[in-house]
Amino acid sequence: MTTSEPNTHDRRSFLQASGALGAAGVLGGLAGCSGGGGGSGGSSTVKQKDPSKDDPLTVAVYGGTFKDVLDKQLFEPFRNETGIPVESKAEETSSAALSKLKAASNAGKAPVDLSIIKVTGILKGENVGIWHHWSPDEFDNVSKIADNLKHTDEDGNLVGIGALSWFINLVNNTNQMDSPPTSWKALWDDQYKNQLGLLSLASNSYLLDVTAEVYFDGKSTLQTKDGIKKVLQKLEGIKPQAGMWYKDEAQFEQKLKTGDVPAGMLYNDVTLVMEDKGAPVNSHFVDEGSIIDHGEWCTLNTSPHLDAAKTFIDYASKPEVQDRIAKNLYDPPVVKKKYSDLSDDTYKKIAGPGPQAAITPNYQMYIDRSSWISEQWKQLIIG
Amino acid sequence: MAAESASAAEGRAGIRSRTKYLVAAYPSVLLGLLFVIPLLMLVVFSFYLNVNGGYFKPGFTFENYVRFFTHRLYRGQLLFTLQISFVTTLITLVLGYPLAYYLSRMNNGLVRRAVMILVVSTLWITYVIRAYVWTVLLAKSGPISKIGVALGILPEPTGWTPGYWALVIGMAYAFLPFMILSLYNSLKNIDGELIEASKNLGAGPLETFRRVTLPLSKNGVISGSALVFILSLGVYVLPKILGSPSQWTIAIIIGDQVNQQQNIPFAAAMSIALMVVVVVILGAVARFTDVSAIGMGGDVQ
């Protein structure tokens, strides 16, 4: 598998025999989870059929506003234009979904046909072989998607295809804060003591990447354990400013709106939607670069609706569809800039200075050192 | 004819005998399917090997258990979980006992039923909603803070969530009905004549409570406490919403291993370790309080 180059898109064993081993095999079989390091995915052996009203193409997306907007701007037009029955499903689409998808895949089931998955999830899913691989020739519009928003296997087949892209900015309650933070350095500034809401996972806050970028030599610092330890040591300094550590943005949204936690890091799209609904909030693209993250369409290799899934991905990759979603969801389109017709003002609102100026997470680090980073990170925020 | 009759009788006896086994087999199969096999699977998975960035593979290693008991992160959060469970149990006992006592001695059946429904009705609402209610009530801009400032109790608006006491309040609120129901069953079964006799023999209300009511409700106290303690050990949603990372219970750490890390073997090992801790604690309680496992079900001795 090849990992995308960061920020180049122009918009953005030991096995001991034991008595338990026999039982393990039997019980592992019972669970349908013999684990395994994975496979290559590839072509499906599942009997294919056309989606119907009772058995539609099922697509997992983020819930709340995301689902509402996508239902209106993507699913409904797709249904009308192609006649393919499609249903959106608000589901966990991050790493949290993988255990469920893996178990379903082992059992030959597909709880959803395709899903928006973040890069770390794509890599993990690829390692356990649950994704269908597509030939690039199968699509008309996928070539218009920015190259760094696609994941391919060793043979150049597509595993993930850019679906949505988003920024994590610094935000504030405009009633509570006269001098809102606009630099990541504010996280270390004691004038914001106990006032900031911060994402609580290493792999969704990307604060390791931010700290490496702002105070060290960027990604090269994160290549070694010693480098990561130095970054973690520096991150000790942000703890006094953390008024809350949140995993789900809804928790922080409430506190930000009431001013209980008057500032922090939050998704630009979510903040703009809050602003539209009258909340006294503001989103700032950060001086040193906001964090850019994205999700890709991944198809479960046990999906019985591969043809419909392909048609859906191709439809979602159309520049006009991407622009429509971008305008309503406040996320930058995933197609190359030359294909987008967004006005400069709209683009600036949803993408600021653009993806080139943003900090791209070192996704592979979160896979290669998954357990260790998670443990170190928890030690940092709990201790 | 006699042979035919004997054969018919044998047939009926045979059916009865087979029915007996069928009746016995039903709960055994159910227990096996729902409890024994899943538990065995958990034990087996806890010795499997994790594949970093992948899933897991069959094998045999003690590494997961060693990691859990030697890393200060997990030890610390296990101790914290035990501590907050103990505090929650104590608070629910102190709050629940007077209410359960009052309910058990209440003569008006209608009012008693109404209060019981009120107590139980909180269980009809999901933990998520109950936790979010407390985040609003205990927020800096929430009503408790505003009333505190208005009454001059608080010098300035104060928020308690996320934080330790917000979590304790949320947990005590969530588990209080379980304590009240356990205590109520026990207190209700105390013979009123014993209390009357104590009074007739000259004991005051406190003496009667200390020498009669409390000893006779001992099983209710133990069973209610054991129930609340075990429920608290497994609490997941409340600390996520009401707590800071330092108040994350071991259940959250286990959930994170499953959902974020996909490290099923380590999560299984942590679950088994937690289960062993619970069994040891309950065993110690049973031994030192002279209450049997059946007694922990709330029966009066």
Short mmCIF file of all heavy atoms in Angstrom, two decimals, chain B residues 210-262:
data_model
loop_
_atom_site.label_atom_id
_atom_site.label_comp_id
_atom_site.label_asym_id
_atom_site.label_seq_id
_atom_site.Cartn_x
_atom_site.Cartn_y
_atom_site.Cartn_z
N ARG B 210 -29.93 0.41 66.38
CA ARG B 210 -28.59 -0.18 66.46
C ARG B 210 -28.64 -1.68 66.75
O ARG B 210 -27.88 -2.46 66.20
CB ARG B 210 -27.78 0.55 67.52
CG ARG B 210 -26.27 0.32 67.45
CD ARG B 210 -25.54 1.25 68.39
NE ARG B 210 -25.84 0.98 69.78
CZ ARG B 210 -25.25 0.02 70.52
NH1 ARG B 210 -24.35 -0.75 69.98
NH2 ARG B 210 -25.58 -0.14 71.78
N ARG B 211 -29.58 -2.08 67.65
CA ARG B 211 -29.58 -3.47 68.11
C ARG B 211 -30.56 -4.38 67.35
O ARG B 211 -30.43 -5.59 67.38
CB ARG B 211 -29.90 -3.52 69.60
CG ARG B 211 -28.75 -3.07 70.47
CD ARG B 211 -29.17 -3.03 71.91
NE ARG B 211 -28.04 -2.75 72.77
CZ ARG B 211 -27.32 -3.70 73.37
NH1 ARG B 211 -27.62 -4.96 73.20
NH2 ARG B 211 -26.32 -3.38 74.15
N VAL B 212 -31.57 -3.76 66.72
CA VAL B 212 -32.57 -4.60 66.04
C VAL B 212 -32.59 -4.38 64.52
O VAL B 212 -32.30 -5.30 63.74
CB VAL B 212 -33.99 -4.35 66.63
CG1 VAL B 212 -35.03 -5.25 65.94
CG2 VAL B 212 -34.00 -4.58 68.13
N THR B 213 -32.92 -3.14 64.15
CA THR B 213 -33.13 -2.88 62.71
C THR B 213 -31.85 -3.11 61.89
O THR B 213 -31.89 -3.82 60.88
CB THR B 213 -33.63 -1.43 62.50
OG1 THR B 213 -34.65 -1.16 63.43
CG2 THR B 213 -34.14 -1.23 61.09
N LEU B 214 -30.78 -2.50 62.32
CA LEU B 214 -29.53 -2.59 61.53
C LEU B 214 -29.04 -4.03 61.40
O LEU B 214 -28.76 -4.48 60.27
CB LEU B 214 -28.46 -1.68 62.14
CG LEU B 214 -27.23 -1.43 61.27
CD1 LEU B 214 -27.61 -0.82 59.93
CD2 LEU B 214 -26.23 -0.51 61.98
N PRO B 215 -28.96 -4.79 62.52
CA PRO B 215 -28.50 -6.19 62.33
C PRO B 215 -29.43 -7.00 61.43
O PRO B 215 -28.96 -7.83 60.64
CB PRO B 215 -28.52 -6.76 63.76
CG PRO B 215 -28.44 -5.57 64.66
CD PRO B 215 -29.14 -4.46 63.94
N LEU B 216 -30.72 -6.75 61.55
CA LEU B 216 -31.66 -7.53 60.73
C LEU B 216 -31.65 -7.10 59.25
O LEU B 216 -32.12 -7.83 58.39
CB LEU B 216 -33.08 -7.44 61.29
CG LEU B 216 -33.32 -8.22 62.59
CD1 LEU B 216 -34.71 -7.95 63.14
CD2 LEU B 216 -33.12 -9.72 62.36
N SER B 217 -31.18 -5.90 59.01
CA SER B 217 -31.12 -5.46 57.60
C SER B 217 -29.72 -5.60 57.02
O SER B 217 -29.43 -5.10 55.95
CB SER B 217 -31.59 -4.00 57.48
OG SER B 217 -30.75 -3.15 58.23
N LYS B 218 -28.85 -6.31 57.79
CA LYS B 218 -27.45 -6.44 57.37
C LYS B 218 -27.32 -7.01 55.95
O LYS B 218 -26.56 -6.50 55.14
CB LYS B 218 -26.70 -7.34 58.36
CG LYS B 218 -25.21 -7.38 58.11
CD LYS B 218 -24.48 -8.20 59.15
CE LYS B 218 -24.60 -9.68 58.85
NZ LYS B 218 -23.80 -10.53 59.76
N ASN B 219 -28.12 -8.02 55.66
CA ASN B 219 -28.01 -8.63 54.33
C ASN B 219 -28.42 -7.66 53.22
O ASN B 219 -27.84 -7.67 52.13
CB ASN B 219 -28.87 -9.89 54.24
CG ASN B 219 -28.17 -11.07 54.88
OD1 ASN B 219 -27.07 -10.90 55.42
ND2 ASN B 219 -28.79 -12.22 54.84
N GLY B 220 -29.41 -6.84 53.52
CA GLY B 220 -29.84 -5.84 52.55
C GLY B 220 -28.74 -4.82 52.30
O GLY B 220 -28.48 -4.42 51.16
N VAL B 221 -28.08 -4.43 53.39
CA VAL B 221 -26.98 -3.47 53.27
C VAL B 221 -25.86 -4.07 52.43
O VAL B 221 -25.34 -3.42 51.51
CB VAL B 221 -26.45 -3.06 54.68
CG1 VAL B 221 -25.16 -2.26 54.57
CG2 VAL B 221 -27.50 -2.26 55.44
N ILE B 222 -25.52 -5.32 52.76
CA ILE B 222 -24.42 -5.97 52.02
C ILE B 222 -24.81 -6.18 50.55
O ILE B 222 -24.02 -5.89 49.65
CB ILE B 222 -24.06 -7.34 52.64
CG1 ILE B 222 -23.75 -7.19 54.12
CG2 ILE B 222 -22.94 -8.02 51.86
CD1 ILE B 222 -22.38 -6.82 54.50
N SER B 223 -26.02 -6.66 50.32
CA SER B 223 -26.39 -6.94 48.93
C SER B 223 -26.51 -5.65 48.12
O SER B 223 -26.04 -5.57 46.99
CB SER B 223 -27.70 -7.73 48.85
OG SER B 223 -28.77 -6.93 49.32
N GLY B 224 -27.10 -4.61 48.72
CA GLY B 224 -27.21 -3.32 48.03
C GLY B 224 -25.84 -2.75 47.74
O GLY B 224 -25.57 -2.26 46.64
N SER B 225 -24.95 -2.84 48.74
CA SER B 225 -23.60 -2.29 48.57
C SER B 225 -22.85 -3.07 47.50
O SER B 225 -22.16 -2.48 46.66
CB SER B 225 -22.83 -2.34 49.89
OG SER B 225 -23.51 -1.59 50.87
N ALA B 226 -23.00 -4.41 47.55
CA ALA B 226 -22.29 -5.23 46.55
C ALA B 226 -22.79 -4.90 45.15
O ALA B 226 -22.01 -4.74 44.21
CB ALA B 226 -22.51 -6.71 46.85
N LEU B 227 -24.11 -4.73 45.04
CA LEU B 227 -24.70 -4.44 43.73
C LEU B 227 -24.21 -3.08 43.19
O LEU B 227 -23.75 -2.98 42.05
CB LEU B 227 -26.23 -4.43 43.85
CG LEU B 227 -27.03 -4.23 42.57
CD1 LEU B 227 -26.75 -5.35 41.58
CD2 LEU B 227 -28.53 -4.19 42.87
N VAL B 228 -24.29 -2.05 44.04
CA VAL B 228 -23.86 -0.72 43.61
C VAL B 228 -22.36 -0.70 43.31
O VAL B 228 -21.91 -0.11 42.32
CB VAL B 228 -24.22 0.35 44.67
CG1 VAL B 228 -23.59 1.70 44.34
CG2 VAL B 228 -25.73 0.49 44.77
N PHE B 229 -21.60 -1.40 44.14
CA PHE B 229 -20.15 -1.44 43.94
C PHE B 229 -19.80 -2.08 42.59
O PHE B 229 -19.00 -1.55 41.83
CB PHE B 229 -19.49 -2.22 45.08
CG PHE B 229 -17.99 -2.16 45.08
CD1 PHE B 229 -17.32 -1.02 45.49
CD2 PHE B 229 -17.25 -3.25 44.64
CE1 PHE B 229 -15.93 -0.96 45.46
CE2 PHE B 229 -15.86 -3.20 44.61
CZ PHE B 229 -15.21 -2.06 45.03
N ILE B 230 -20.47 -3.20 42.30
CA ILE B 230 -20.17 -3.89 41.03
C ILE B 230 -20.62 -3.05 39.84
O ILE B 230 -19.89 -2.92 38.85
CB ILE B 230 -20.84 -5.29 41.00
CG1 ILE B 230 -20.16 -6.19 42.02
CG2 ILE B 230 -20.79 -5.91 39.63
CD1 ILE B 230 -20.89 -7.47 42.31
N LEU B 231 -21.80 -2.45 39.96
CA LEU B 231 -22.27 -1.58 38.87
C LEU B 231 -21.31 -0.42 38.65
O LEU B 231 -21.03 -0.02 37.54
CB LEU B 231 -23.67 -1.04 39.17
CG LEU B 231 -24.83 -2.04 39.08
CD1 LEU B 231 -26.11 -1.44 39.64
CD2 LEU B 231 -25.04 -2.48 37.63
N SER B 232 -20.80 0.13 39.76
CA SER B 232 -19.88 1.27 39.67
C SER B 232 -18.57 0.87 39.01
O SER B 232 -17.98 1.66 38.27
CB SER B 232 -19.59 1.84 41.06
OG SER B 232 -20.78 2.26 41.67
N LEU B 233 -18.12 -0.34 39.30
CA LEU B 233 -16.85 -0.80 38.71
C LEU B 233 -16.93 -0.83 37.18
O LEU B 233 -15.94 -0.61 36.50
CB LEU B 233 -16.50 -2.20 39.21
CG LEU B 233 -15.92 -2.33 40.62
CD1 LEU B 233 -15.71 -3.80 40.94
CD2 LEU B 233 -14.63 -1.58 40.76
N GLY B 234 -18.11 -1.09 36.68
CA GLY B 234 -18.25 -1.22 35.23
C GLY B 234 -18.74 0.04 34.55
O GLY B 234 -19.05 0.04 33.36
N VAL B 235 -18.81 1.14 35.28
CA VAL B 235 -19.40 2.36 34.73
C VAL B 235 -18.57 2.89 33.56
O VAL B 235 -17.34 2.92 33.63
CB VAL B 235 -19.61 3.41 35.85
CG1 VAL B 235 -18.31 4.03 36.28
CG2 VAL B 235 -20.58 4.48 35.42
N TYR B 236 -19.25 3.26 32.48
CA TYR B 236 -18.56 3.63 31.24
C TYR B 236 -19.02 4.99 30.71
O TYR B 236 -18.21 5.88 30.45
CB TYR B 236 -18.84 2.54 30.20
CG TYR B 236 -18.21 2.78 28.85
CD1 TYR B 236 -16.86 2.54 28.65
CD2 TYR B 236 -18.97 3.24 27.77
CE1 TYR B 236 -16.27 2.75 27.41
CE2 TYR B 236 -18.39 3.47 26.53
CZ TYR B 236 -17.04 3.21 26.34
OH TYR B 236 -16.47 3.43 25.13
N VAL B 237 -20.33 5.15 30.61
CA VAL B 237 -20.86 6.38 30.00
C VAL B 237 -20.65 7.59 30.91
O VAL B 237 -20.23 8.66 30.46
CB VAL B 237 -22.37 6.21 29.68
CG1 VAL B 237 -22.99 7.52 29.24
CG2 VAL B 237 -22.56 5.16 28.61
N LEU B 238 -20.94 7.42 32.20
CA LEU B 238 -20.91 8.57 33.11
C LEU B 238 -19.53 9.24 33.20
O LEU B 238 -19.44 10.46 33.07
CB LEU B 238 -21.41 8.15 34.50
CG LEU B 238 -22.87 7.69 34.55
CD1 LEU B 238 -23.20 7.03 35.88
CD2 LEU B 238 -23.81 8.85 34.30
N PRO B 239 -18.44 8.47 33.40
CA PRO B 239 -17.15 9.15 33.44
C PRO B 239 -16.74 9.78 32.12
O PRO B 239 -16.00 10.75 32.09
CB PRO B 239 -16.16 8.05 33.86
CG PRO B 239 -16.88 6.78 33.76
CD PRO B 239 -18.34 7.05 33.75
N LYS B 240 -17.26 9.22 31.03
CA LYS B 240 -16.94 9.80 29.72
C LYS B 240 -17.54 11.19 29.60
O LYS B 240 -16.96 12.08 29.00
CB LYS B 240 -17.52 8.92 28.60
CG LYS B 240 -16.54 7.93 28.05
CD LYS B 240 -17.13 7.20 26.90
CE LYS B 240 -16.25 7.38 25.68
NZ LYS B 240 -16.67 6.55 24.56
N ILE B 241 -18.73 11.36 30.17
CA ILE B 241 -19.43 12.64 30.03
C ILE B 241 -19.15 13.56 31.20
O ILE B 241 -18.97 14.76 31.02
CB ILE B 241 -20.95 12.39 29.87
CG1 ILE B 241 -21.21 11.59 28.59
CG2 ILE B 241 -21.74 13.70 29.85
CD1 ILE B 241 -22.64 11.15 28.39
N LEU B 242 -19.08 13.01 32.40
CA LEU B 242 -18.95 13.87 33.58
C LEU B 242 -17.52 14.00 34.10
O LEU B 242 -17.24 14.85 34.94
CB LEU B 242 -19.84 13.33 34.71
CG LEU B 242 -21.34 13.39 34.46
CD1 LEU B 242 -22.11 12.59 35.51
CD2 LEU B 242 -21.84 14.83 34.48
N GLY B 243 -16.63 13.14 33.63
CA GLY B 243 -15.28 13.14 34.17
C GLY B 243 -14.23 13.70 33.23
O GLY B 243 -14.42 13.78 32.03
N SER B 244 -13.12 14.11 33.83
CA SER B 244 -11.92 14.47 33.06
C SER B 244 -11.13 13.18 32.82
O SER B 244 -11.45 12.16 33.42
CB SER B 244 -11.06 15.43 33.89
OG SER B 244 -11.75 16.63 34.09
N PRO B 245 -10.09 13.24 32.01
CA PRO B 245 -9.32 12.00 31.79
C PRO B 245 -8.86 11.33 33.08
O PRO B 245 -8.83 10.11 33.16
CB PRO B 245 -8.13 12.49 30.95
CG PRO B 245 -8.69 13.63 30.18
CD PRO B 245 -9.64 14.32 31.11
N SER B 246 -8.51 12.13 34.09
CA SER B 246 -8.05 11.50 35.33
C SER B 246 -9.17 10.74 36.03
O SER B 246 -8.92 9.95 36.95
CB SER B 246 -7.42 12.52 36.28
OG SER B 246 -8.30 13.59 36.48
N GLN B 247 -10.41 10.99 35.61
CA GLN B 247 -11.53 10.23 36.19
C GLN B 247 -12.04 9.14 35.23
O GLN B 247 -13.14 8.64 35.40
CB GLN B 247 -12.70 11.17 36.53
CG GLN B 247 -12.47 12.01 37.77
CD GLN B 247 -12.09 13.42 37.43
OE1 GLN B 247 -12.66 14.02 36.53
NE2 GLN B 247 -11.10 13.96 38.14
N TRP B 248 -11.24 8.80 34.26
CA TRP B 248 -11.64 7.70 33.38
C TRP B 248 -11.49 6.38 34.13
O TRP B 248 -10.42 6.08 34.65
CB TRP B 248 -10.77 7.68 32.12
CG TRP B 248 -11.13 8.74 31.13
CD1 TRP B 248 -12.22 9.56 31.17
CD2 TRP B 248 -10.41 9.11 29.96
NE1 TRP B 248 -12.21 10.41 30.09
CE2 TRP B 248 -11.12 10.15 29.33
CE3 TRP B 248 -9.23 8.65 29.38
CZ2 TRP B 248 -10.68 10.76 28.15
CZ3 TRP B 248 -8.79 9.25 28.20
CH2 TRP B 248 -9.52 10.28 27.60
N THR B 249 -12.57 5.63 34.14
CA THR B 249 -12.54 4.35 34.84
C THR B 249 -11.91 3.28 33.96
O THR B 249 -11.69 3.50 32.76
CB THR B 249 -13.98 3.92 35.20
OG1 THR B 249 -14.76 3.96 34.02
CG2 THR B 249 -14.59 4.82 36.25
N ILE B 250 -11.68 2.13 34.57
CA ILE B 250 -11.02 1.05 33.83
C ILE B 250 -11.90 0.59 32.66
O ILE B 250 -11.38 0.15 31.63
CB ILE B 250 -10.65 -0.11 34.79
CG1 ILE B 250 -9.52 -0.94 34.20
CG2 ILE B 250 -11.84 -0.96 35.16
CD1 ILE B 250 -8.19 -0.27 34.21
N ALA B 251 -13.22 0.75 32.79
CA ALA B 251 -14.11 0.35 31.69
C ALA B 251 -13.85 1.21 30.45
O ALA B 251 -13.93 0.72 29.32
CB ALA B 251 -15.56 0.48 32.12
N ILE B 252 -13.54 2.47 30.65
CA ILE B 252 -13.24 3.35 29.51
C ILE B 252 -11.92 2.92 28.86
O ILE B 252 -11.80 2.88 27.63
CB ILE B 252 -13.16 4.82 29.96
CG1 ILE B 252 -14.55 5.29 30.38
CG2 ILE B 252 -12.59 5.71 28.86
CD1 ILE B 252 -14.64 6.76 30.70
N ILE B 253 -10.97 2.56 29.70
CA ILE B 253 -9.68 2.12 29.16
C ILE B 253 -9.88 0.82 28.35
O ILE B 253 -9.30 0.65 27.28
CB ILE B 253 -8.66 1.88 30.31
CG1 ILE B 253 -8.57 3.11 31.23
CG2 ILE B 253 -7.29 1.48 29.78
CD1 ILE B 253 -7.84 4.30 30.68
N ILE B 254 -10.74 -0.06 28.87
CA ILE B 254 -11.02 -1.31 28.14
C ILE B 254 -11.72 -0.99 26.82
O ILE B 254 -11.35 -1.49 25.75
CB ILE B 254 -11.90 -2.27 29.00
CG1 ILE B 254 -11.13 -2.74 30.22
CG2 ILE B 254 -12.38 -3.46 28.17
CD1 ILE B 254 -11.96 -3.52 31.23
N GLY B 255 -12.72 -0.11 26.89
CA GLY B 255 -13.46 0.29 25.68
C GLY B 255 -12.53 0.90 24.64
O GLY B 255 -12.67 0.63 23.44
N ASP B 256 -11.58 1.68 25.12
CA ASP B 256 -10.64 2.32 24.20
C ASP B 256 -9.77 1.27 23.50
O ASP B 256 -9.47 1.39 22.31
CB ASP B 256 -9.75 3.29 25.00
CG ASP B 256 -8.70 3.92 24.12
OD1 ASP B 256 -9.06 4.73 23.26
OD2 ASP B 256 -7.50 3.58 24.28
N GLN B 257 -9.38 0.24 24.25
CA GLN B 257 -8.57 -0.82 23.64
C GLN B 257 -9.35 -1.55 22.54
O GLN B 257 -8.78 -1.94 21.53
CB GLN B 257 -8.10 -1.83 24.71
CG GLN B 257 -7.02 -1.29 25.63
CD GLN B 257 -5.74 -0.90 24.91
OE1 GLN B 257 -5.35 -1.53 23.93
NE2 GLN B 257 -5.09 0.16 25.36
N VAL B 258 -10.66 -1.70 22.75
CA VAL B 258 -11.49 -2.37 21.74
C VAL B 258 -11.76 -1.44 20.56
O VAL B 258 -11.52 -1.78 19.40
CB VAL B 258 -12.83 -2.84 22.35
CG1 VAL B 258 -13.74 -3.43 21.27
CG2 VAL B 258 -12.59 -3.87 23.45
N ASN B 259 -12.23 -0.23 20.88
CA ASN B 259 -12.71 0.65 19.82
C ASN B 259 -11.61 1.40 19.08
O ASN B 259 -11.70 1.57 17.87
CB ASN B 259 -13.68 1.68 20.42
CG ASN B 259 -14.94 1.02 20.90
OD1 ASN B 259 -15.41 0.05 20.30
ND2 ASN B 259 -15.49 1.52 21.99
N GLN B 260 -10.62 1.87 19.80
CA GLN B 260 -9.59 2.68 19.14
C GLN B 260 -8.38 1.86 18.73
O GLN B 260 -7.81 2.08 17.67
CB GLN B 260 -9.14 3.83 20.07
CG GLN B 260 -10.26 4.77 20.47
CD GLN B 260 -10.90 5.46 19.27
OE1 GLN B 260 -10.24 5.73 18.29
NE2 GLN B 260 -12.19 5.72 19.36
N GLN B 261 -7.95 0.96 19.62
CA GLN B 261 -6.71 0.21 19.36
C GLN B 261 -6.96 -1.13 18.67
O GLN B 261 -6.04 -1.75 18.17
CB GLN B 261 -5.97 -0.04 20.68
CG GLN B 261 -5.60 1.22 21.44
CD GLN B 261 -4.73 2.13 20.62
OE1 GLN B 261 -3.77 1.68 20.01
NE2 GLN B 261 -5.08 3.40 20.59
N GLN B 262 -8.21 -1.61 18.71
CA GLN B 262 -8.55 -2.95 18.21
C GLN B 262 -7.65 -4.00 18.87
O GLN B 262 -7.32 -5.02 18.27
CB GLN B 262 -8.41 -3.04 16.68
CG GLN B 262 -9.56 -2.39 15.94
CD GLN B 262 -9.41 -0.90 15.81
OE1 GLN B 262 -8.35 -0.44 15.44
NE2 GLN B 262 -10.43 -0.15 16.14
#
